[in-house]
Amino acid sequence: MNQKNSIINTAKQTFEMESKAISNLSNLINADFADAVELIYKSKGRVIITGIGKSAIIANKIVATLNSTGTPAIFMHAADAIHGDLGLILKDDVVICISKSGNTPEIKVLVPLIKSAKNKMIAITGNTDSYLSQQAHYTLNTYVEKEACPNNLAPTTSTTAQLVIGDALAICLLELRGFSSRDFAKYHPGGALGKKLYLRVRDISSVNQKPKVTRDTHIKDVIVEITEKMLGVTAVVDADKIIGIITDGDLRRMLSKTENFITLTAKDIMSNNPKRIDGDAMAVDAKNIMESHGISQLLVEEQGVYAGVIHLHDLIKEGII
């Protein structure tokens, strides 16, 4: 077997081993998981998540997922906690401790301090007989038979299991809170995901120029309008109602077919019943219409009146595409 095939086989074995471990988590879920979710949901405080080593990295990711889905969470490194950071934990906070073995020295020092403050504690561990599991109010079992590492040493499968349990917690809490796409947009206003959920067509079209001509506009003036407004298109309107559209593609086809266009007007080359969209529609809806019809621009209406143009390039610039 050559080196390339060996690499591919190793990758596939890793996928298979970790996927089996994740599937097995379903067999480990019990009432403690449901009770832990309900505890967090009913809590008046935050979720403090702690761990050490690779578990601390997973804790950070779970914190980020909880925060972005409506559950306030803070990361506290287990080693720092016993050197002053315990002040992060407030009266009503719920503490989640993550540890594969549940028996690390830092955890053994930290757990009694948390319990003395009377905070509820949830363990995420692969060892239900561990010190952490025995001291916690609820245990979320992340047992894995073997790490993907051939030496069974580097945290791989075990940290994947921790991550999946964290995702399951977040999604269960999301559903209990009735967390909607609008809520998600509120927590992600600057990213592409958020923009897909809150950015409306008028937010984009309103800053563009507004090319328009009438049906009797001379073709020369149509060309000038399209060129000056730099959107590659113009609406054809009658009393500000859209009756047609002319694109730069229409102009090129006209020039290829007609030698004498001096007598032509907009109505001679416009396309009737152009695709259009309401200004209140989501920008992502404009993207879908453009993609499904293979076009680069949409005319925008507000209460049936021509309001502007949204261009494919606008969507790219905003990160919608």
Side-chain angles (χ1 to χ4, degrees):
M1 181 182 297
N2 61 35
Q3 186 175 33
K4 185 177 293 187
N5 288 337
S6 177
I7 291 170
I8 292 171
N9 285 336
T10 298
K12 288 181 177 180
Q13 289 169 10
T14 303
F15 299 153
E16 183 177 357
M17 185 175 295
E18 296 205 358
S19 65
K20 284 182 178 179
I22 292 171
S23 295
N24 188 55
L25 289 178
S26 296
N27 300 320
L28 304 180
I29 291 288
N30 56 23
D32 268 23
F33 182 88
D35 290 340
V37 170
E38 290 179 345
L39 171 67
I40 296 170
Y41 176 64
K42 294 175 181 177
S43 171
K44 297 178 181 178
R46 309 156 302 171
V47 179
I48 309 296
I49 309 183
T50 188
I52 196 163
K54 302 300 186 296
S55 294
I57 297 171
I58 298 301
N60 263 303
K61 194 277 176 183
I62 297 174
V63 163
T65 302
L66 288 173
N67 280 325
S68 70
T69 52
T71 299
I74 295 175
F75 169 72
M76 179 183 69
H77 197 283
D80 293 335
I82 59 179
H83 293 286
D85 279 6
L86 270 174
L88 281 172
I89 305 176
L90 303 179
K91 176 185 174 183
D92 294 319
D93 291 343
V94 175
V95 181
I96 298 178
C97 293
I98 306 177
S99 173
K100 178 187 176 182
S101 71
N103 290 314
T104 59
E106 293 83 2
I107 292 296
K108 286 187 173 181
V109 173
L110 177 60
V111 165
L113 298 175
I114 295 170
K115 293 197 73 175
S116 68
K118 303 191 183 307
N119 290 87
K120 295 290 186 179
M121 185 168 52
I122 300 166
I124 296 180
T125 180
N127 182 4
T128 56
D129 293 325
S130 65
Y131 175 80
L132 172 60
S133 179
Q134 297 301 314
Q135 295 298 313
H137 295 90
Y138 305 109
T139 295
L140 311 186
N141 190 355
T142 54
Y143 171 78
V144 297
E145 186 176 341
K146 188 178 184 298
E147 300 287 5
C149 166
N151 299 314
N152 197 28
L153 294 174
T156 46
T157 312
S158 60
T159 48
T160 300
Q162 293 169 353
L163 189 63
V164 171
I165 284 290
D167 286 344
L169 277 174
I171 299 305
C172 289
L173 288 163
L174 177 154
E175 290 192 348
L176 284 176
R177 297 185 195 285
F179 195 83
S180 67
S181 59
R182 288 185 178 272
D183 296 317
F184 191 87
K186 182 174 69 176
Y187 287 100
H188 300 75
L193 287 174
K195 286 184 178 181
K196 287 182 180 180
L197 294 169
Y198 79 82
L199 197 65
R200 298 189 181 275
V201 168
R202 75 166 61 88
D203 298 328
I204 300 175
S205 64
S206 62
V207 300
N208 286 338
Q209 298 195 71
K210 189 179 170 183
K212 64 178 180 178
V213 298
T214 69
R215 71 175 77 231
D216 297 320
T217 301
H218 190 274
I219 202 65
K220 177 182 175 182
D221 295 321
V222 172
I223 294 172
V224 170
E225 182 73 357
I226 292 176
T227 302
E228 287 185 347
K229 301 298 170 62
M230 298 184 295
L231 289 167
V233 68
T234 184
V236 183
V237 301
D238 182 5
D240 276 336
K241 300 284 186 177
I242 298 170
I243 60 173
I245 188 172
I246 300 173
T247 68
D248 50 10
D250 293 325
L251 295 177
R252 287 193 296 272
R253 284 186 288 274
M254 175 202 69
L255 291 172
S256 68
K257 294 178 181 179
T258 308
E259 292 186 6
N260 183 11
F261 55 86
I262 194 68
T263 61
L264 296 180
T265 61
K267 67 177 178 292
D268 296 315
I269 66 167
M270 74 181 190
S271 299
N272 297 311
N273 300 316
K275 296 289 181 284
R276 61 195 82 183
I277 191 167
D278 192 272
D280 196 46
M282 307 308 296
V284 71
D285 294 330
K287 175 192 81 83
N288 294 335
I289 293 172
M290 290 184 200
E291 287 181 346
S292 63
H293 293 281
I295 56 179
S296 301
Q297 307 100 336
L298 276 176
L299 300 184
V300 181
E301 289 181 320
E302 295 277 358
Q303 297 181 338
V305 174
Y306 172 58
V309 176
I310 185 169
H311 197 286
L312 186 68
H313 292 161
D314 298 324
L315 302 177
I316 294 172
K317 184 172 69 175
E318 292 292 343
I320 302 297
I321 297 178

